[in-house]
Amino acid sequence: MSDRAGDRWECGVCWTVYDPAAGDEAAGVLPGTPFEALPDDWRCPHCDGAKARFLRIDDDS
């Protein structure tokens, strides 16, 4: 299954969800920015976990 631009991602450390529709205002990430487009050094806004710790949420249940 390939990733879609609107997929939401969840931090594996603190369970914070990155929603592309909302972006990340604190980090200057505009709404509509897909997770894959975030810089590699982007961190979880809640626990400072690395981008690599995020898992795609399967909303197709």
Side-chain angles (χ1 to χ4, degrees):
M1 172 185 274
S2 64
D3 295 338
R4 297 172 304 260
D7 284 347
R8 296 178 315 134
W9 292 74
E10 186 173 63
C11 178
V13 177
C14 72
W15 313 116
T16 295
V17 173
Y18 174 76
D19 184 349
D24 179 3
E25 183 178 346
V29 176
L30 297 174
T33 303
F35 185 80
E36 296 80 6
L38 295 173
D40 290 337
D41 64 350
W42 178 83
R43 310 288 291 189
C44 175
H46 182 72
C47 74
D48 200 40
K51 180 181 175 183
R53 299 297 307 259
F54 278 71
L55 304 169
R56 187 177 63 81
I57 298 172
D58 185 3
D59 286 333
D60 293 337
S61 317

